[in-house]
Amino acid sequence: MKDLYTFDATPQEAKRTYDKARRAYKNFFDELGIPYLVAIASSGAIGGIYSHEYHFPTMNGEDTIVSCEKCSYSVNEEFTDTPGLRDVETSRADWTRYESWFGISKDRCHLVEALLPQTKRSRKIHSSQQKTPEINPYMMKKLYPELDLGIEDPLSTFAEYWTKERSTTTRQATEPPSIPHLTRVYDFRISKAFLDTGSSGNKGKPLMQKVSDIIGRNISTNPIPLNLARFQDGDQCPGCENNSIKLQRSVELGHTFYLGDRYSKAMNATFTTPPIPRATDETDTQQIQAQSAPTEANKAWFQMGCHGIGISRMIAAAADSLANNSNNNKKQGLIWPRVMAPFEAAILATEENKSATEEVWDLLARPAGGWNPLDAVLDDRDDKGLGWKLKDADLIGFPIVVVLGSQFSQQGLCEVSIPRLGIRDMVEMGGLRDYIGMRLDRI
């Protein structure tokens, strides 16, 4: 892990430093040449004011990024401050049933029921296939931070706990009785009037009501309709509200946090701010020095930021993204970006052409005119043939491979292979710099 910690005197300076770090990260990932997403993220346990994540899109990822191709909206699914909204009136029209999701607090005193719409058929919204919504656990945790999302059956746990709690044998006589709380929240696709009429189509007595009967307490309903469902492909973009969002699985490669004074206050990390001299007479040195003495009045908290890149994850992402696939889709080896490769170019030759390899190396690895030299390596192993060396070069993942083979012996042509671009051409030695230089910015 590569870490960076920043300390500034004011929030304004800290914000400028944070923006500089973000630009540096963007430039860094741009130079790597791998696909990546920048998303607004939840600060999570680390906390702070805001943060951004840098993700590599892959089906094997553990995160989900919600983004819009038409605007700059891009957030981690865990970020719940700006949940996507669908058209409330039209979306309510086809929902004929609702289903309940239950959550319980860690102290077992609070049971929450979330009502989501349920349908027997899929339907079109914003030209995408709409499925029955799933609960957004991040939103529920934001609404009720005390929830314990690790309980498989919160309803039974709550009912069992309070059945025992009503018995005086389960607690000391001197202990005050606990008070259970029942709360119902509902998704905005379900109208409050629709719920009150009981016309939901759900048969039988609601499970929450049965619990209410057991413990003898009423259910309080949050009067504000909320968006409790997870994002789905095709939902309306919360950013531009004119286009649809796309969900992508991804792996987090980096994270930037603007922490503010969260940790500086906890650690009592302060600095003394320079006072503003009030003396008007320049000769009054004693007065100015007295005003410059540090006091509690001119101490301030550091404004902090922390930033990190997962080096091992980044290497794995590059390998996964740029793995070499031949025309028959059979994976052959790696293709490293130039900035990550052990060498930018490898020079290989048959036994009869080994004497010319140093001349080729000089062309590529030594500066000349406007030519920026490449970091090149000669594979001059005496105990390996050209075929073996070619296989090794493919497995290692050199961005550029120059081969002096039979065509070089006959016509003076070098075989230049750039696997990332999928090209392999015969080039005269004198034209190597021009040929490779025209393609460097693409690898």
Side-chain angles (χ1 to χ4, degrees), residues 210-225:
K210 293 180 180 179
V211 174
S212 176
D213 294 342
I214 292 174
I215 65 174
R217 295 192 65 83
N218 294 325
I219 305 170
S220 63
T221 301
N222 187 333
I224 302 174

Side-chain angles (χ1 to χ4, degrees), residues 249-267:
R249 301 293 292 175
S250 65
V251 171
E252 182 184 349
L253 300 181
H255 208 142
T256 56
F257 294 89
Y258 174 35
L259 302 173
D261 57 14
R262 172 185 171 92
Y263 290 97
S264 55
K265 281 186 175 180
M267 297 184 292

Side-chain angles (χ1 to χ4, degrees), residues 48-265:
I49 299 174
Y50 48 77
S51 69
H52 290 81
E53 292 174 341
Y54 302 79
H55 285 260
F56 169 68
T58 171
M59 291 299 295
N60 299 323
E62 68 272 15
D63 289 292
T64 301
I65 301 301
V66 182
S67 60
C68 175
E69 296 181 352
K70 302 296 183 180
C71 72
S72 60
Y73 184 81
S74 180
V75 302
N76 191 309
E77 186 186 34
E78 297 178 2
F79 184 77
T80 55
D81 283 359
T82 54
L85 296 178
R86 306 161 182 83
D87 188 321
V88 176
E89 295 304 323
T90 58
S91 63
R92 281 178 180 162
D94 286 356
W95 301 115
T96 59
R97 298 171 62 88
Y98 66 81
E99 61 182 11
S100 296
W101 176 93
F102 293 97
I104 188 173
S105 62
K106 296 176 182 178
D107 62 5
R108 308 298 184 253
C109 290
H110 193 179
L111 182 69
V112 178
E113 179 186 28
L115 301 179
L116 287 170
Q118 183 186 48
T119 184
K120 291 184 178 179
R121 66 183 189 279
S122 37
R123 51 191 298 273
K124 294 279 187 176
I125 292 182
H126 299 297
S127 301
S128 66
Q129 196 76 11
Q130 180 73 5
K131 302 176 182 179
T132 299
E134 299 178 5
I135 193 70
N136 185 344
Y138 309 112
M139 175 59 73
M140 295 306 300
K141 191 70 174 177
K142 181 178 179 65
L143 293 171
Y144 303 100
E146 72 277 9
L147 286 183
D148 185 354
L149 298 180
I151 302 300
E152 293 184 3
D153 189 354
L155 191 67
S156 298
T157 301
F158 186 84
E160 180 181 353
Y161 177 83
W162 285 103
T163 299
K164 293 180 179 180
E165 184 67 15
R166 293 179 63 187
S167 172
T168 57
T169 60
T170 60
R171 56 182 171 83
Q172 299 295 328
T174 57
E175 294 180 359
S178 301
I179 301 176
H181 298 277
L182 302 176
T183 303
R184 173 179 286 151
V185 295
Y186 65 99
D187 190 89
F188 72 92
R189 301 163 194 76
I190 305 174
S191 68
K192 183 65 164 56
F194 182 75
L195 292 173
D196 291 340
T197 60
S199 58
S200 67
N202 292 357
K203 297 179 181 180
K205 198 170 189 178
L207 295 175
M208 187 71 151
Q209 192 62 52
K210 293 180 180 179
V211 174
S212 176
D213 294 342
I214 292 174
I215 65 174
R217 295 192 65 83
N218 294 325
I219 305 170
S220 63
T221 301
N222 187 333
I224 302 174
L226 302 166
N227 185 7
L228 304 178
R230 303 184 83 145
F231 284 107
Q232 296 180 5
D233 277 320
D235 282 353
Q236 178 181 336
C237 173
C240 61
E241 299 183 352
N242 294 320
N243 299 286
S244 301
I245 59 170
K246 178 182 180 181
L247 273 63
Q248 294 177 272
R249 301 293 292 175
S250 65
V251 171
E252 182 184 349
L253 300 181
H255 208 142
T256 56
F257 294 89
Y258 174 35
L259 302 173
D261 57 14
R262 172 185 171 92
Y263 290 97
S264 55
K265 281 186 175 180

Side-chain angles (χ1 to χ4, degrees), residues 299-435:
K299 283 189 176 181
W301 308 108
F302 283 106
Q303 299 294 313
M304 295 177 59
C306 67
H307 318 269
I309 292 178
I311 303 300
S312 58
R313 287 190 174 199
M314 182 185 63
I315 294 173
D320 182 58
S321 172
L322 304 177
N324 181 15
N325 289 277
S326 61
N327 293 331
N328 60 5
N329 293 322
K330 184 178 179 181
K331 188 170 289 187
Q332 300 294 312
L334 297 171
I335 306 175
W336 294 115
R338 288 175 58 206
V339 294
M340 294 178 64
F343 293 94
E344 294 175 285
I347 303 169
L348 289 62
T350 57
E351 185 64 29
E352 60 180 317
N353 294 320
K354 285 183 66 175
S355 59
T357 55
E358 291 187 12
E359 185 178 354
V360 174
W361 186 92
D362 286 338
L363 278 172
L364 300 181
R366 295 191 185 279
W371 173 254
N372 292 320
L374 298 179
D375 186 12
V377 63
L378 286 175
D379 189 343
D380 55 359
R381 291 177 291 175
D382 294 328
D383 59 334
K384 302 297 181 185
L386 180 60
W388 191 292
K389 294 177 182 179
L390 284 169
K391 197 70 174 178
D392 282 351
D394 191 38
L395 291 173
I396 293 172
F398 297 114
I400 303 168
V401 179
V402 180
V403 180
L404 309 184
S406 59
Q407 291 294 314
F408 184 82
S409 302
Q410 300 170 10
Q411 305 178 46
L413 297 176
C414 306
E415 181 183 287
V416 182
S417 175
I418 305 179
R420 185 169 182 181
L421 302 182
I423 59 176
R424 179 178 296 171
D425 292 318
M426 306 306 297
V427 182
E428 291 184 355
M429 184 184 296
L432 281 176
R433 286 176 178 168
D434 290 338
Y435 179 88

